[in-house]
Amino acid sequence: MDLKEVEKKWQKIWEERKLHEFDYGNISSKLYVLEMFSYPSAAKLHIGHWYNYGPTDTYARFKRMQGFNVFQPMGFDAFGLPAENYAIKTGIHPKDNTLANIATMREQLKAIGGMFDWSAEVVTCMPDYYKWTQWMFLQLYKNSLAYRKEAPVNWCPSCQTVLANEQVIDGSCERCHAKVLRKNLTQWFFKITAYAEELLEGLDEIDWPEKTKLMQRNWIGKSVGGEIEFKTENGDSFKVFTTRADTLFGVSYVVLAPEHELVDKLTAPGQREAVERYKFQSAMTTEIDRMSTVREKTGLFLGSYAIHPLTGEKIPIYIADYVLVSYGTGAVMGVPAHDERDFEFAKKYGLPIKRVIKGEEGKDELPFVEPGVLVDSGEFSGMGSEAAKDAIMEKLKTLGSGQKKVNYRLRDWLVSRQRYWGAPIPIIHCPRCGEVPVPEEDLPVELPYDMVFTPDGQSPLAKCEQFVNTVCPKCGAPAKRDSDTLDTFVCSSWYFLRYPDAKNSQKPFDSELINKMLPVDKYVGGAEHACMHLLYARFFTKALRDMGYLNFDEPFKSLVHQGVILGPDGNRMSKSRGNVVSPDTYIEKYGTDIFRLYLMFGFSYIEGGPWNDDGIKAVSRFIDRAEKIVLKAFSMEGSKQIGPAERDLDCVKNYTIKQVSADLEVFGFNTSIARLMELVNAMYKYDQESQKDAEFFKACARDLVLLIAPFAPHFAEELWEMIGGPFSVFKQRYPKCDEKALVRDEVEIAIQVNGKVRARVNVPSQLDREQLEKYVLTLQQVEELAQGKPVKKVIAVPGKLVNIVL
RNA sequence: GCCGAAAUGGCGGAACAGGCAGACGCAAAGGACUUAAAAUCCUUCGGAGAUCCUAUCUCCGUGCCGGUUCAAAUCCGGCUUUCGGCACCA
C-alpha cells in the first residue's frame, strides 16, 4: 500500500464528508478530548507536538469507535515573548510572523490526520478572541479579583527594559550582559489567593496524576500558624508569620526582608550605608539563590530593636536576604534553639540561643526542631507544643498583638507585561476619575499594528500616541490607556471554554451550552504546566462559576501528561545543542501513520525518553504484515469444523481486544501495539494450518482492521475499503471482548520452594486457593522437590503460583 | 537549594494492588529461499557455571547500601545520577 497516497486520499475525503466535526445534536454522549494548544514560535511542528497530538488522537478515535461523540478541537496560543524578541532581532512584525507560522502549522496538523474539529479553531492573538480575554479581565476587575500594586521586575539598566526570567543568564542580561537589578513597578495582579483553599480542596475530586496534585498542593503551600505583632522602640510595628508560636519565648532576634517597607525607617543612622549596600546586593541575587538552604546565611543588624510582645525584652532587628517579601509577612522571628536556619544565623552573628522546648530524655542537641514540652516560657512552661501554640496565640489575641492565621505560599498572579505582543489591558487611566474599566461595548481594545519595538524603558504601547491617548469613558476628559499587555497565561486560562462556542460574537461562550460541554473529559499535555497553567485555568473556572457563568467547579476532569522526547544524546532538544530531530524526514520516508505508530510503540507515553529510531522499521513491517494477512484472509475459501486452532486464535483475538481496550484507557500505547503484534503473529500461525475456516478467519481479519484503526487511521480506512467495509471505519464499533473465549481449562502456575521457582505445572484453571493447595501437594513432582522435609507452610495464589515453605 | 519524578539485557521497553523478571520489538548470530542482493520466512538470544554439552540443572541478576516479608523491580530507611518545575518561555 502506498501509504502517502492513501493518507492524502482519506484526509481529503474525511474533510469533505466532515467526519471530524462535532455533532451538537447529541451532546449527551459527548466526550471532550483536549490537547494543550500549540505555541507558534516556530513554523514547524516538532517531535513534542507530534508526541502530544498523535497518540492522543489515537485515544480520541478509539473513544469515537466506542460510541462517544468526541469533540477534539485545536487552536493556537499565539501571543508571547518569543515572537516579540524575534521581531526585535529581524524586524519582522510579530503578527505577520505568527500568522505565517500558524498557517504552516495548521497544514501540518491537518497532515497528521488527527480528528480535529477545525470549525472550532481559536487563535488567541486575533481580536475576536482577545476581545473576550479582555472581557475576562473586566469581570475579574468588577469582582475585585484584579488589582494593582507595586512588585519587583528584572530590570536591565543598560537596555532599559524589563527582562523575563528566561532572559536573565547568571544574573546578567542575555543581550548586553549588564548586571540585572530588581526594580519595583506598579502592576496588575489577579487575586488567585482568594481561591487558595478551594484550589487545594478541589484536587481531591479530580482524576489527575498524583504527582501533579502533590506539586500543586506544595505550590499552594498551606501552613497553619499565627501572625504575631512586634512593636518597635519608636512605636512602629510589624507582623511575623510563624507555625511555631510555642517557641515564642526563645526569640532572640527578628529578621525583615531587605525590601520590607519599614527597613529605611528602622535603620539607625550609623548603619545606613551598610544597609543600602546590603539591599543592593540582595536586589542582584535571584530568589532561587536566596532560598537555598546550603548557601551561607548573610544578614545585617539595622541598629534598632523590637519589643518582645510577652516578655517585653529588647530584640535586635536584622535584615537578611533569605527572608522574602513575597512570602508571609516578609518578616520572621528568629528562634535559634529550635530552627536549623536560625541556629546557623545566630551562631554566625553571636546571638543568644535560648532553649524553650524540651524533648525526650537524652535529646539535648540543638537545634531541636521537633515538638516537645515548653520550659522557661513563663506561664506556658510545662505545656505541650500543640497546646502551647493555641494558648500563646490566645494570649496574644487578648493583648491585641496576634491572631491565628493560615498562610499560603501561593502568591497573587502578576499579569502585567511591559510588552507589545499580548492582549492590551482594558483599563483607562483618567487624571480625574482614576482607573476606569473600558466599557464592554468598546471591546476589543485593539492592538495597533504600526509599532516601534526597540526597548527604551517604557512599554512599547506607551509610545504609540494613537493607542495610548483616549478619553475617559466616565467624564470625557483626555485620558491614557493602560499600556501594559496581559500575560499569555491569561489567554490560555479560558480557551477550553471558547472552543465549543468558538464563533460566538455576542459572548465569550453560551453558558447553557458550555455547562453541557464541559468539563473537559481528558486533557493531555506536558507536566511542565503542573503548577502554572493548570492552576490558573482552575482559578478562572472557579471565579467564573462564582460570577454565575459556569456551573462546574473544575475545568479538567481527567488529566494525562505525556513524557518529554529528548535528543538522541539524552539532553533536551535545542538548536544550540544541535540535537534537534525533525519529524519531517521520517514522515517523508514512512508517512504519518507509521511515524505516529512508532511514537506510540517506541516509548512509554508517560515517560518519554531520548530519541532513537531503531524501531521505526519494525512498525512499518508490522503494518505490512497486517495488510498481507488481512488480504490473504479475504482471498481465502473453504470451511471446516471449529477446532482447537480456531479456539486458540479466537482466544488471542479476544485477549487482544480486552487488553488493547484497557491499555488505551490509561494511554498505554506501547503495550496495546505489542498485543496487536501478537494477534498478527497468531494469525500467521493459524495460516500455517493445513485446514482453515475462511469465514472464521475473515471475521478475525475484520476485527484486526477495526482494532488497528485508531493507531493507523489512514491505513485502516484504506484496508477497510479494500475488504468491502462501508464508509467509514471510524463509524464502526470497536470490537468487544467475548469473555467466554478467554476461558481455558488449564493454567500454568509456578511451584516455588522457599520462594524460589522450582517447577512449572499445568493445573485446572477453576481451582480456588484451598483446592489449589491440596492439588499441588498431591503432585509427585512436589514430593520430589520437598525431599522428605516437613512442609511448614503453603501459600497458594490461584492462577499464579504455589510457594512451599520447608 | 526547594518541590516532583525516573533508573530493568547490547538498545527501546513489559511486568494490573508484593506473587514465574525481561511481554512486544530493535540489534546481533545461525538457517531457508535466491545466480546474487534486498525483501520475506524459521531458529537462538540477561550473565556465569555444571552435566549424560543445545529444551537438564545450579548460582547470580531490575542504579548503590541496608531493612521488612514465605515471596521485593514493586514496600521502608539512607545514598548516587538523570529529567521536569520554581511564579516574566509557554
Side-chain angles (χ1 to χ4, degrees), chain A residues 676-712:
Chain A
L676 290 172
M677 288 171 166
E678 281 167 353
L679 175 57
V680 169
N681 291 345
M683 288 173 75
Y684 272 87
K685 198 176 156 205
Y686 178 75
D687 189 38
Q688 311 276 304
E689 295 286 322
S690 51
Q691 275 207 310
K692 284 162 279 198
D693 185 296
E695 284 315 306
F696 164 80
F697 203 27
K698 278 177 200 170
C700 186
R702 189 177 172 280
D703 279 345
L704 175 66
V705 178
L706 294 172
L707 285 167
I708 290 182
F711 297 88

Side-chain angles (χ1 to χ4, degrees), chain A residues 463-644:
Chain A
K463 292 169 284 186
C464 182
E465 298 283 328
Q466 103 249 18
F467 173 84
V468 83
N469 292 320
T470 186
V471 290
C472 172
K474 248 192 207 163
C475 69
K480 288 199 184 295
R481 289 192 188 279
D482 199 296
S483 59
D484 285 356
T485 52
L486 289 168
D487 178 6
T488 52
F489 274 126
V490 179
C491 310
S492 57
S493 291
W494 73 280
Y495 76 110
F496 47 92
L497 300 171
R498 179 70 178 169
Y499 274 136
D501 201 7
K503 300 292 177 277
N504 195 330
S505 58
Q506 305 304 307
K507 303 185 257 193
F509 50 78
D510 180 74
S511 292
E512 207 186 313
L513 173 67
I514 274 1
N515 285 337
K516 287 188 207 145
M517 289 294 292
L518 274 277
V520 170
D521 294 282
K522 192 65 87 175
Y523 194 31
V524 186
E528 66 273 21
H529 294 290
C531 294
M532 302 179 74
H533 162 62
L534 287 167
L535 198 61
Y536 296 150
R538 295 181 63 218
F539 160 62
F540 258 60
T541 302
K542 288 171 193 300
L544 287 168
R545 176 205 58 199
D546 287 347
M547 294 171 202
Y549 294 108
L550 303 175
N551 70 358
F552 50 93
D553 302 318
E554 290 286 342
F556 314 122
K557 204 155 79 185
S558 177
L559 172 74
V560 173
H561 295 304
Q562 81 275 19
V564 181
I565 302 291
L566 305 170
D569 57 359
N571 290 304
R572 206 189 170 94
M573 286 192 199
S574 73
K575 272 187 204 148
S576 57
R577 279 208 182 86
N579 62 350
V580 178
V581 176
S582 158
D584 299 355
T585 49
Y586 294 100
I587 291 153
E588 188 55 37
K589 192 163 172 196
Y590 297 101
T592 67
D593 276 1
I594 300 294
F595 188 63
R596 81 144 79 173
L597 208 50
Y598 177 60
L599 287 175
M600 288 188 273
F601 182 63
F603 303 85
S604 159
Y605 190 64
I606 312 289
E607 301 293 329
W611 176 255
N612 167 342
D613 59 11
D614 280 351
I616 196 158
K617 267 190 258 149
V619 294
S620 177
R621 189 161 7 193
F622 160 65
I623 283 296
D624 282 346
R625 275 166 63 80
E627 180 185 349
K628 268 186 211 150
I629 200 73
V630 167
L631 294 179
K632 185 155 188 202
F634 273 84
S635 66
M636 208 176 263
E637 276 171 38
S639 66
K640 66 173 278 239
Q641 282 255 298
I642 298 297

